[in-house]
Amino acid sequence: MSALIEGDRTHSRGRDGAVFHLAADSGWPQRFGLMARDLRDGASLWRLAWLLATSDIRLRYRGSVLGPLWLTLSTAVMIGAMGFIYAALFRADIRQYLPYLSVSIVIWNYLSALVNEGCNCFLTEQKLIHGARMPFSLHAARSVLRNTIVFAHNVVVIVPVFLLVGAPVTWEILWVVPALLLWLLDGFAVAMLLGALCARFRDVPPIVGALLQVVFFATPIMWYASLLDGHPLLGVLIRFNPFFHLLEVVRAPLLGGAPPAGSVLGALAASAVALALAAVGFARMRGRIAYWV
Amino acid sequence: MAQLAARGISVDFPLYHSETRSLRRAVLDRASGRFGADARRRPIVRALRDISFSLASGDRLGLVGSNGSGKTTLLRVLSGIYQPTAGSLAVDGSLASLLDPGQAMNPDMTGRENIRLHARFHRMAVAEIGAFEADVESFADIGAFLDLPVRNYSSGMMVRLSFAMATAARPEILLMDEWILAGDATFMDKARQRTETMVRHADILVLASHSAQVMVEWCNRLVWLEQGRVRADGEPLEVLSRYLPPQQFEQLRPKRSEQPEPIPAPLRSGTSP
């Protein structure tokens, strides 16, 4: 018989997590308490979340020669092709437009992947959810980490573009760090909320996908926000578009400027709303997710 | 001291994705007694009703009952997967559940990679993972298959690996569904030994199975579930005498009296109820 079984029980992991009480739903204090426990358990499993996320990427490209480099390559091809066509369409200076487009596309792909895959973060883990008690935050974190790894591969594309057109890089670029931390937090909150919602309502993922398409065209991603300057109605559209502000706080520093104060406020406000909705929504739905998936 | 207590646990399954007319009619008729409607008049299946028991160290509980009587659902509730609709669950002790073959395994990853994932799930440090891996490897005993994707495993190998992973983590409470009995005789023998060692070390086992023979050999208490309720709870032979058809129970008895010390010989001959 194995030494592990026969051995002393007071092993290094201690008895943390060994005591567990679960009663029928009894209102908000209990719901928030169970959510807090879920987040705590999830945080203590960060190594597992990271291992799962990296395995996801490795498995996706197992047997492929270039592997995850395909992520980089396909983004590069897309930006290269679109850059010249749209620069001509918008009569923009390619030296300015190409860096703008490459940064916009790369961060938009990250944002839309966070939202789209966040929708499925519980549905795809149905087997794990039914197999053992596991914090739901683990699945949300896995989805966020996986897409962050993809993003890290795509960011590489920006470098040759900047070198090619000689775009300046300034110290303002450091603003990217707090901005991306905000994105990670938002991405996690959105995955917790949409993941639970989509487990219950299976029509939500395609609806979210369709809405993101609309947002893609209605937000200054391929076109400059300045094109709408002076336009009475559409100018307002931009000012109340949370996606514009969230993109801008990451994009502006990458393009050499500090993020505009208005966008910082907009991004913080949008994040506060997302976090509040996620906290209430997840606490409300948490106990039912295992029944829904 | 490990403890596991269920207090008045009920579970209702919502029927969201199958709201057909015939189902609604079944709900309205309340014909079978297991369909119902919740407070908001949505159709539900009453999977478990008012289940109470408490287990302490050394208890080996068997769950018997026909298909659909609620055994697997109860195991999921005891695992903390389903939040009960009523009642409460109290667990004191590290718990491992073996509910689906390959439940916690990624089919595209190798057995070894899955072992490492499992080790991380148990929050093991790098230093512990090596010993864990070695223990699983020697117990599962599937040779070179350990380095192949789990997708290529036979169901028996899957059972071996799952059981080895679940028990190598040294849970104080082990919950197993009947598929674990898909292992071959040699493995079953090993598995039972390992479980017994575990239980000797003051642990709890809950096992759902259709095999009366296994129940008699592995368990010291039986709960008979019927239509989601506890029909009987007590000594294995006593419960089985009511649960099994008389002739099957008679077949069980002589074997017991001939062999005061339970050994898994009947398993080797492939006896099943």
Side-chain angles (χ1 to χ4, degrees):
Chain A
M1 203 45 41
S2 82
L4 270 170
I5 287 223
E6 305 251 287
D8 183 14
R9 243 178 226 302
T10 53
H11 43 86
S12 64
R13 293 189 301 289
R15 295 184 51 81
D16 185 41
V19 178
F20 180 67
H21 291 261
L22 187 62
D25 184 53
S26 64
W28 287 101
Q30 181 212 21
R31 287 172 192 163
F32 280 116
L34 287 169
M35 176 176 76
R37 165 116 201 201
D38 189 293
L39 292 172
R40 232 175 23 247
D41 288 351
S44 72
L45 285 172
W46 66 272
R47 286 170 194 279
L48 179 64
W50 176 254
L51 189 58
L52 286 168
T54 49
S55 313
D56 284 343
I57 303 282
R58 260 190 306 118
L59 287 178
R60 201 181 287 179
Y61 292 97
R62 189 166 263 190
S64 145
V65 179
L66 288 182
L69 275 181
W70 277 116
L71 298 170
T72 316
L73 217 64
S74 56
T75 312
V77 169
M78 180 170 144
I79 288 168
M82 279 173 65
F84 290 97
I85 296 168
Y86 281 86
L89 272 177
F90 294 134
R91 298 197 174 80
D93 174 14
I94 190 81
R95 284 174 175 284
Q96 268 181 9
Y97 185 67
L98 207 56
Y100 176 80
L101 182 78
S102 59
V103 169
S104 298
I105 292 285
V106 165
I107 61 176
W108 169 259
N109 282 349
Y110 181 37
L111 187 148
S112 72
L114 282 175
V115 177
N116 271 325
E117 294 195 21
C119 283
N120 293 316
C121 70
F122 300 144
L123 279 174
T124 51
E125 301 315 322
Q126 187 239 16
K127 260 174 71 184
L128 285 180
I129 290 171
H130 282 166
R133 181 172 72 86
M134 223 177 257
F136 289 104
S137 48
L138 170 74
H139 309 301
R142 172 188 187 170
S143 165
V144 169
L145 288 176
R146 179 176 61 231
N147 287 306
T148 305
I149 297 170
V150 172
F151 171 65
H153 281 90
N154 287 337
V155 159
V156 176
V157 176
I158 298 175
V159 178
V161 170
F162 273 52
L163 290 177
L164 199 71
V165 300
V169 175
T170 61
W171 282 108
E172 322 288 354
I173 202 169
L174 291 178
W175 279 102
V176 158
V177 177
L180 283 180
L181 287 177
L182 187 69
W183 273 41
L184 285 176
L185 195 64
D186 290 350
F188 177 72
V190 164
M192 295 282 270
L193 177 67
L194 286 183
L197 204 61
C198 295
R200 170 66 182 88
F201 300 102
R202 303 297 166 94
D203 295 310
V204 175
I207 292 173
V208 168
L211 286 178
L212 277 176
Q213 283 284 330
V214 175
V215 170
F216 176 71
F217 290 108
T219 307
I221 294 167
M222 292 193 300
W223 43 276
Y224 293 121
S226 58
L227 286 178
L228 291 182
D229 279 352
H231 195 289
L233 191 71
L234 292 176
V236 173
L237 191 80
I238 287 185
R239 224 174 311 137
F240 289 98
N241 180 349
F243 291 95
F244 170 64
H245 298 303
L246 282 167
L247 286 170
E248 198 57 21
V249 292
V250 178
R251 180 167 56 191
L254 282 172
L255 292 173
S263 287
V264 173
L265 276 179
L268 286 175
S271 305
V273 172
L275 286 179
L277 280 178
V280 174
F282 178 77
R284 179 76 184 81
M285 294 184 277
R286 191 206 52 82
R288 305 303 296 168
I289 297 172
Y291 290 94
W292 291 339
V293 293
Chain B
M1 276 293 276
Q3 276 182 332
L4 179 68
R7 294 190 199 94
I9 284 181
S10 295
V11 165
D12 295 334
F13 276 111
L15 297 169
Y16 294 116
H17 303 301
S18 52
E19 293 180 37
T20 58
R21 278 172 162 269
S22 60
L23 186 70
R24 283 207 182 276
R25 207 171 300 131
V27 169
L28 290 176
D29 291 348
R30 312 265 165 109
S32 76
R34 285 196 91 185
F35 292 105
D38 65 6
R40 282 148 68 185
R41 301 187 57 79
R42 290 174 304 192
I44 52 164
V45 173
R46 296 198 181 99
L48 293 175
R49 270 287 163 277
D50 201 23
I51 308 279
S52 295
F53 55 80
S54 72
L55 302 174
S57 293
D59 281 347
R60 286 169 286 173
L61 176 70
L63 299 173
V64 290
S66 55
N67 292 327
S69 56
K71 301 187 296 291
T72 305
T73 305
L74 181 55
L75 286 177
R76 291 224 168 100
V77 174
L78 298 178
S79 307
I81 296 166
Y82 288 147
Q83 182 169 14
T85 320
S88 68
L89 165 80
V91 180
D92 185 355
S94 61
L95 182 148
S97 22
L98 283 163
L99 302 180
D100 287 311
Q103 60 186 22
M105 284 198 251
N106 188 327
D108 293 314
M109 293 166 82
T110 67
R112 204 176 292 282
E113 285 169 325
N114 273 297
I115 295 174
R116 288 185 192 142
L117 275 185
H118 208 80
R120 285 298 189 201
F121 173 59
H122 288 286
R123 300 175 175 83
M124 286 183 199
V126 183
E128 290 171 290
I129 293 179
F132 179 75
E133 194 183 315
D135 183 48
V136 174
E137 186 173 359
S138 77
F139 190 81
D141 193 23
I142 55 172
F145 273 90
L146 203 61
D147 291 303
L148 288 184
V150 169
R151 188 180 287 293
N152 304 321
Y153 287 18
S154 70
S155 53
M157 288 180 190
M158 201 78 130
V159 168
R160 281 164 173 258
L161 186 59
S162 301
F163 185 85
M165 289 205 294
T167 48
R170 294 192 303 148
E172 291 160 299
I173 302 168
L174 181 63
L175 310 176
M176 294 198 291
D177 210 346
E178 53 203 348
W179 60 270
I180 192 69
L181 308 172
D184 58 28
T186 333
F187 178 74
M188 286 295 295
D189 212 1
K190 268 169 78 181
R192 195 167 61 97
Q193 268 181 34
R194 178 129 151 168
T195 317
E196 273 176 0
T197 321
M198 223 186 82
V199 174
R200 261 205 300 281
H201 286 258
D203 287 358
I204 297 175
L205 170 74
V206 182
L207 171 71
S209 173
H210 284 296
S211 161
Q213 201 57 246
V214 168
M215 286 308 196
V216 170
E217 283 162 12
W218 291 52
C219 304
N220 55 18
R221 180 176 172 186
L222 279 197
V223 162
W224 172 10
L225 288 178
E226 195 177 71
Q227 302 259 333
R229 292 170 189 274
V230 175
R231 170 85 183 266
D233 178 355
E235 286 281 303
L237 283 175
E238 188 190 318
V239 173
L240 284 174
S241 70
R242 295 169 54 196
Y243 172 68
L244 290 176
Q247 67 273 29
Q248 277 190 32
F249 184 67
E250 286 312 310
Q251 283 172 0
L252 194 66
R253 278 215 82 110
K255 282 171 190 158
R256 293 282 304 157
S257 50
E258 285 161 16
Q259 299 159 355
E261 204 57 39
I263 60 165
L267 285 172
R268 290 201 186 101
S269 59
T271 314
S272 64

